[in-house]
């Protein structure tokens, strides 16, 4: 197998356009810290967590590109043996020079204190294995998950920076709607009445807006 084929099987580059960092209404100090970590020498592990669909992945992509790095995704695979995704992370880590990794839907790797049978999975590594990886990785990695309730304290303290994403304010929802409408070129399909109805929904997220835009 060629190196290119091996890489394509385990992780994938992302060359799609990203949003401006100003689009996310993040605290400028938080942005400065994360960019500093991504630009610095040596590894960095950044954790973005919070409600689903609130723009964590898009923010991660924009941060990486703003830091002058390429984006590598380590996606979820439907099948795989024990530690399979962590193993693919190790491969990506090895080939990560000039790039930063995004580990989306990281629950099955990071939530290692879950004890319920329904969540015990062949892809959930033991705490010691995970912590060893976090200590020894050489890459810049942004980890994304919905909540940290099941992360062990010893794992949490290994992240260089953690940022919580909550539901959006009306102003943030309005800004997100404008960006997504422009990106999909559907300005003529969004009436003022429809816009007001959408923005009145407090739990409206960029993820839902993207689904609506795609349908339109």
């Amino acid at each position: 197998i060629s190196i290119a084929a091996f890489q394509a099987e385990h992780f994938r580059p992302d060359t799609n356009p990203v949003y401006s960092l100003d689009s996310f209404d993040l605290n400028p100090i938080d942005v400065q810290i994360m960019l500093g970590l991504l630009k610095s020498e040596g590894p960095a592990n950044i954790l973005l967590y919070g409600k689903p669909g609130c723009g964590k992945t898009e923010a991660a992509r924009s941060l990486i590109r703003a830091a002058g790095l390429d984006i590598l995704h380590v996606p979820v695979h439907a099948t795989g043996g024990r530690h399979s995704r962590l193993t693919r992370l190790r491969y990506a880590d090895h080939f990560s020079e000039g790039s930063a990794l995004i580990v989306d839907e990281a629950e099955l790797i990071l939530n290692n204190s879950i004890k319920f049978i329904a969540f015990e999975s062949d892809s959930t590594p033991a705490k010691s294995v995970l912590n060893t990886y976090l200590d020894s990785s050489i890459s810049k990695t942004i980890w994304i998950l919905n909540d940290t309730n099941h992360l062990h304290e010893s794992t949490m303290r290994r992240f260089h920076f953690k940022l919580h994403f909550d539901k959006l304010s009306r102003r943030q929802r309005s800004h997100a709607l404008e960006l997504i409408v422009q990106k999909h070129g559907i300005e003529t399909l969004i009436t003022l009445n429809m816009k007001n109805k959408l923005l009145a929904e407090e739990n409206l997220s960029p993820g839902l807006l993207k689904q609506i835009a795609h349908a339109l």
Side-chain angles (χ1 to χ4, degrees), residues 30-85:
D30 292 338
V31 171
Q32 185 178 357
I33 291 171
M34 290 187 286
L35 286 177
L37 286 168
L38 291 170
K39 292 178 179 180
S40 66
E41 293 185 10
N45 285 294
I46 298 170
L47 178 65
L48 306 183
Y49 66 100
K51 292 183 178 297
C54 279
K56 299 185 292 296
T57 303
E58 291 297 336
R61 296 177 65 248
S62 296
L63 282 163
I64 291 170
R65 200 67 63 76
L69 299 171
D70 294 327
I71 303 167
L72 287 181
H73 290 274
V74 185
V76 177
H77 280 186
T79 60
R82 183 164 180 78
H83 311 323
S84 62
R85 198 176 184 201

Coordinates of all heavy atoms in Angstrom, one line a residue, residues 30-85:
D30 N -9.6 34.4 24.5 CA -9.6 33.0 24.2 C -9.0 32.7 22.8 O -8.2 31.7 22.6 CB -11.0 32.4 24.2 CG -11.6 32.5 25.6 OD1 -10.8 32.5 26.6 OD2 -12.8 32.5 25.7
V31 N -9.3 33.5 21.8 CA -8.8 33.3 20.5 C -7.3 33.5 20.4 O -6.6 32.7 19.8 CB -9.5 34.3 19.5 CG1 -8.8 34.2 18.1 CG2 -11.0 34.0 19.3
Q32 N -6.8 34.5 21.2 CA -5.4 34.8 21.2 C -4.6 33.6 21.8 O -3.6 33.2 21.3 CB -5.1 36.0 22.0 CG -3.7 36.5 22.0 CD -3.5 37.8 22.8 OE1 -4.5 38.4 23.3 NE2 -2.3 38.2 22.9
I33 N -5.2 33.0 22.9 CA -4.5 31.9 23.6 C -4.5 30.7 22.6 O -3.4 30.0 22.5 CB -5.3 31.5 24.8 CG1 -5.1 32.6 25.9 CG2 -4.8 30.2 25.4 CD1 -6.0 32.5 27.1
M34 N -5.6 30.4 22.0 CA -5.7 29.2 21.1 C -4.8 29.3 19.9 O -4.1 28.4 19.5 CB -7.1 28.9 20.7 CG -8.0 28.4 21.8 SD -9.6 27.9 21.4 CE -10.4 29.5 21.1
L35 N -4.7 30.5 19.3 CA -3.8 30.8 18.2 C -2.4 30.7 18.6 O -1.5 30.1 17.9 CB -4.1 32.1 17.6 CG -5.4 32.3 16.7 CD1 -5.5 33.7 16.2 CD2 -5.4 31.3 15.5
G36 N -2.1 31.2 19.8 CA -0.8 31.1 20.4 C -0.3 29.6 20.5 O 0.8 29.3 20.2
L37 N -1.2 28.8 21.0 CA -0.9 27.4 21.2 C -0.7 26.7 19.8 O 0.2 25.9 19.7 CB -2.0 26.7 21.9 CG -2.1 26.9 23.4 CD1 -3.5 26.4 24.0 CD2 -1.0 26.3 24.2
L38 N -1.5 27.0 18.8 CA -1.4 26.4 17.5 C -0.2 26.9 16.8 O 0.4 26.1 16.0 CB -2.7 26.7 16.7 CG -4.0 26.1 17.2 CD1 -5.2 26.7 16.4 CD2 -3.9 24.6 17.0
K39 N 0.3 28.1 17.1 CA 1.5 28.6 16.4 C 2.8 28.3 17.1 O 3.9 28.4 16.5 CB 1.4 30.1 16.2 CG 0.3 30.6 15.3 CD 0.2 32.1 15.3 CE -0.8 32.6 14.3 NZ -0.9 34.1 14.3
S40 N 2.7 27.9 18.4 CA 3.9 27.6 19.2 C 4.6 26.4 18.8 O 4.1 25.5 18.1 CB 3.5 27.6 20.6 OG 2.7 26.4 20.9
E41 N 5.8 26.2 19.2 CA 6.6 25.0 19.0 C 6.0 23.9 19.9 O 5.6 24.2 21.0 CB 8.1 25.2 19.3 CG 8.7 26.2 18.2 CD 10.2 26.3 18.5 OE1 10.7 25.5 19.3 OE2 10.8 27.1 17.8
G42 N 6.1 22.7 19.5 CA 5.7 21.6 20.4 C 4.2 21.3 20.2 O 3.5 22.0 19.6
P43 N 3.8 20.3 20.9 CA 2.4 19.8 20.8 C 1.4 20.7 21.5 O 1.8 21.5 22.4 CB 2.4 18.4 21.4 CG 3.5 18.5 22.4 CD 4.5 19.4 21.8
A44 N 0.1 20.6 21.2 CA -0.9 21.3 21.9 C -2.2 20.5 21.8 O -2.5 20.0 20.8 CB -1.1 22.7 21.4
N45 N -2.9 20.4 22.9 CA -4.2 19.7 22.9 C -5.3 20.7 23.4 O -5.2 21.2 24.6 CB -4.2 18.5 23.9 CG -3.5 17.3 23.2 OD1 -3.9 16.8 22.2 ND2 -2.4 17.0 23.8
I46 N -6.2 21.1 22.6 CA -7.3 22.1 22.8 C -8.6 21.3 22.8 O -8.9 20.5 21.9 CB -7.3 23.2 21.8 CG1 -5.9 24.0 21.9 CG2 -8.4 24.1 22.0 CD1 -5.7 24.9 20.7
L47 N -9.4 21.6 23.8 CA -10.7 21.0 24.0 C -11.9 22.0 23.8 O -11.9 23.0 24.5 CB -10.9 20.3 25.3 CG -12.2 19.6 25.6 CD1 -12.4 18.4 24.7 CD2 -12.3 19.2 27.1
L48 N -12.7 21.7 22.8 CA -13.9 22.5 22.5 C -15.1 21.7 22.9 O -15.3 20.6 22.3 CB -14.0 23.0 21.1 CG -12.8 23.8 20.5 CD1 -13.1 24.2 19.1 CD2 -12.4 24.9 21.4
Y49 N -16.0 22.1 23.8 CA -17.1 21.3 24.2 C -18.3 22.2 24.4 O -18.2 23.4 24.6 CB -16.8 20.5 25.4 CG -16.6 21.3 26.7 CD1 -17.6 21.5 27.6 CD2 -15.4 22.0 27.0 CE1 -17.5 22.2 28.8 CE2 -15.2 22.8 28.1 CZ -16.3 22.9 29.0 OH -16.1 23.6 30.1
G50 N -19.5 21.6 24.3 CA -20.7 22.3 24.5 C -21.9 21.8 23.7 O -21.7 20.7 23.1
K51 N -23.0 22.5 23.6 CA -24.2 22.0 22.9 C -23.9 21.6 21.5 O -23.1 22.3 20.8 CB -25.3 23.1 23.0 CG -25.8 23.3 24.4 CD -26.9 24.4 24.4 CE -27.4 24.6 25.8 NZ -28.0 23.3 26.4
P52 N -24.6 20.6 21.0 CA -24.4 20.2 19.6 C -24.8 21.3 18.6 O -25.8 22.0 18.9 CB -25.3 18.9 19.5 CG -25.6 18.5 20.9 CD -25.5 19.7 21.7
G53 N -24.1 21.4 17.5 CA -24.5 22.3 16.5 C -24.2 23.7 16.7 O -24.7 24.6 16.0
C54 N -23.4 24.1 17.7 CA -23.1 25.5 18.1 C -21.8 26.0 17.4 O -21.3 27.0 17.8 CB -23.0 25.6 19.6 SG -24.6 25.8 20.4
G55 N -21.3 25.3 16.4 CA -20.2 25.9 15.6 C -18.8 25.5 16.1 O -17.8 26.1 15.7
K56 N -18.7 24.4 16.9 CA -17.4 24.0 17.5 C -16.4 23.6 16.3 O -15.3 24.0 16.3 CB -17.6 22.9 18.5 CG -18.4 23.3 19.7 CD -18.4 22.2 20.7 CE -19.2 20.9 20.3 NZ -20.6 21.2 20.0
T57 N -17.0 22.7 15.4 CA -16.1 22.2 14.4 C -15.7 23.3 13.4 O -14.5 23.4 13.0 CB -16.8 21.1 13.6 OG1 -17.2 20.1 14.5 CG2 -15.9 20.5 12.5
E58 N -16.6 24.2 13.0 CA -16.3 25.3 12.1 C -15.3 26.3 12.8 O -14.4 26.8 12.1 CB -17.6 26.0 11.7 CG -18.5 25.3 10.8 CD -17.9 24.9 9.5 OE1 -16.9 25.6 9.0 OE2 -18.3 23.9 8.9
A59 N -15.5 26.5 14.1 CA -14.5 27.3 14.8 C -13.1 26.7 14.8 O -12.1 27.4 14.6 CB -15.0 27.6 16.2
A60 N -13.1 25.4 15.0 CA -11.8 24.7 15.0 C -11.1 24.8 13.7 O -9.9 25.1 13.6 CB -12.0 23.2 15.4
R61 N -11.9 24.7 12.6 CA -11.3 24.8 11.2 C -10.8 26.2 11.0 O -9.7 26.4 10.5 CB -12.4 24.4 10.2 CG -12.9 23.0 10.2 CD -14.0 22.7 9.2 NE -13.5 22.8 7.9 CZ -13.9 23.8 7.0 NH1 -14.7 24.7 7.4 NH2 -13.4 23.8 5.8
S62 N -11.5 27.2 11.4 CA -11.1 28.6 11.2 C -9.8 28.9 12.1 O -8.9 29.6 11.6 CB -12.2 29.5 11.6 OG -13.3 29.3 10.7
L63 N -9.8 28.4 13.3 CA -8.6 28.6 14.1 C -7.3 28.0 13.5 O -6.3 28.7 13.5 CB -8.8 28.0 15.5 CG -9.7 28.8 16.5 CD1 -10.2 27.9 17.6 CD2 -9.0 30.0 17.1
I64 N -7.5 26.8 13.0 CA -6.3 26.1 12.4 C -5.8 26.9 11.2 O -4.6 27.1 11.0 CB -6.7 24.7 12.1 CG1 -6.9 23.9 13.4 CG2 -5.6 24.0 11.2 CD1 -7.5 22.5 13.1
R65 N -6.8 27.3 10.3 CA -6.4 28.0 9.1 C -5.8 29.4 9.5 O -4.8 29.8 8.8 CB -7.6 28.1 8.2 CG -7.3 28.4 6.8 CD -6.6 27.2 6.0 NE -7.4 26.0 6.0 CZ -8.4 25.8 5.2 NH1 -8.8 26.7 4.4 NH2 -9.0 24.6 5.1
A66 N -6.3 30.0 10.5 CA -5.8 31.3 10.9 C -4.4 31.2 11.5 O -3.6 32.2 11.4 CB -6.7 32.0 11.9
A67 N -4.1 30.0 12.0 CA -2.7 29.8 12.6 C -1.7 29.4 11.5 O -0.6 29.2 11.7 CB -2.8 28.7 13.6
G68 N -2.2 29.4 10.2 CA -1.3 29.1 9.1 C -1.1 27.6 8.9 O -0.1 27.2 8.3
L69 N -1.9 26.7 9.5 CA -1.7 25.3 9.4 C -2.8 24.7 8.5 O -3.9 25.2 8.2 CB -1.8 24.7 10.8 CG -0.8 25.1 11.8 CD1 -1.2 24.6 13.2 CD2 0.6 24.7 11.4
D70 N -2.5 23.5 8.0 CA -3.4 22.7 7.2 C -4.3 21.9 8.2 O -3.9 21.7 9.4 CB -2.7 21.7 6.3 CG -2.0 22.4 5.2 OD1 -2.5 23.5 4.7 OD2 -0.9 21.9 4.7
I71 N -5.5 21.5 7.7 CA -6.4 20.8 8.6 C -6.5 19.3 8.2 O -6.6 18.9 7.1 CB -7.9 21.3 8.4 CG1 -7.9 22.8 8.7 CG2 -8.9 20.6 9.3 CD1 -9.2 23.5 8.2
L72 N -6.3 18.4 9.2 CA -6.5 17.0 9.1 C -7.6 16.5 10.0 O -7.6 16.8 11.2 CB -5.2 16.3 9.4 CG -4.0 16.3 8.5 CD1 -2.8 15.5 9.0 CD2 -4.4 15.8 7.1
H73 N -8.6 15.8 9.4 CA -9.6 15.2 10.2 C -9.3 13.7 10.5 O -8.8 13.0 9.6 CB -11.0 15.3 9.5 CG -11.5 16.6 9.4 ND1 -12.3 17.2 10.4 CD2 -11.4 17.6 8.4 CE1 -12.7 18.4 10.0 NE2 -12.2 18.7 8.8
V74 N -9.6 13.3 11.7 CA -9.5 11.8 12.0 C -11.0 11.4 12.3 O -11.5 11.4 13.4 CB -8.6 11.6 13.2 CG1 -8.5 10.0 13.5 CG2 -7.3 12.2 13.0
P75 N -11.7 11.0 11.2 CA -13.1 10.7 11.3 C -13.5 9.5 12.1 O -12.6 8.6 12.3 CB -13.6 10.6 9.9 CG -12.4 10.2 9.1 CD -11.2 10.7 9.8
V76 N -14.7 9.4 12.5 CA -15.3 8.1 13.1 C -15.4 7.1 12.0 O -16.0 7.4 10.9 CB -16.6 8.4 13.8 CG1 -17.2 7.1 14.3 CG2 -16.5 9.4 14.8
H77 N -15.0 5.9 12.2 CA -15.2 4.8 11.3 C -16.3 3.9 11.9 O -16.4 3.7 13.1 CB -14.0 3.9 11.1 CG -13.0 4.5 10.1 ND1 -11.9 3.9 9.7 CD2 -13.0 5.8 9.5 CE1 -11.2 4.7 8.8 NE2 -11.9 5.8 8.7
A78 N -17.1 3.3 11.0 CA -18.2 2.5 11.5 C -17.7 1.2 12.1 O -18.4 0.6 13.0 CB -19.2 2.1 10.3
T79 N -16.6 0.7 11.7 CA -16.1 -0.6 12.2 C -14.6 -0.3 12.7 O -14.0 0.6 12.4 CB -16.1 -1.7 11.2 OG1 -15.2 -1.2 10.1 CG2 -17.5 -2.0 10.7
G80 N -14.2 -1.3 13.5 CA -12.8 -1.2 14.0 C -12.6 -1.9 15.3 O -13.6 -2.0 16.1
G81 N -11.4 -2.4 15.6 CA -11.2 -3.1 16.8 C -10.9 -2.2 17.9 O -11.0 -0.9 17.8
R82 N -10.5 -2.7 19.1 CA -10.2 -1.9 20.2 C -9.1 -0.9 20.0 O -8.1 -1.1 19.3 CB -9.8 -2.8 21.4 CG -9.5 -2.1 22.7 CD -9.5 -3.1 23.9 NE -9.2 -2.4 25.1 CZ -10.2 -1.8 25.8 NH1 -11.4 -1.7 25.3 NH2 -9.9 -1.2 26.9
H83 N -9.3 0.3 20.4 CA -8.4 1.5 20.3 C -8.3 1.9 18.8 O -7.3 2.6 18.4 CB -7.0 1.2 20.8 CG -7.0 0.6 22.2 ND1 -7.9 1.0 23.2 CD2 -6.3 -0.4 22.8 CE1 -7.7 0.3 24.3 NE2 -6.7 -0.5 24.1
S84 N -9.2 1.4 17.9 CA -8.9 1.7 16.5 C -8.8 3.2 16.2 O -7.9 3.5 15.4 CB -10.1 1.1 15.7 OG -11.3 1.7 16.0
R85 N -9.7 4.0 16.7 CA -9.6 5.4 16.4 C -8.3 6.0 17.0 O -7.7 6.9 16.4 CB -10.8 6.2 16.8 CG -11.0 7.5 16.1 CD -12.2 8.2 16.4 NE -12.4 9.4 15.7 CZ -13.2 10.5 16.1 NH1 -13.9 10.4 17.2 NH2 -13.3 11.5 15.3

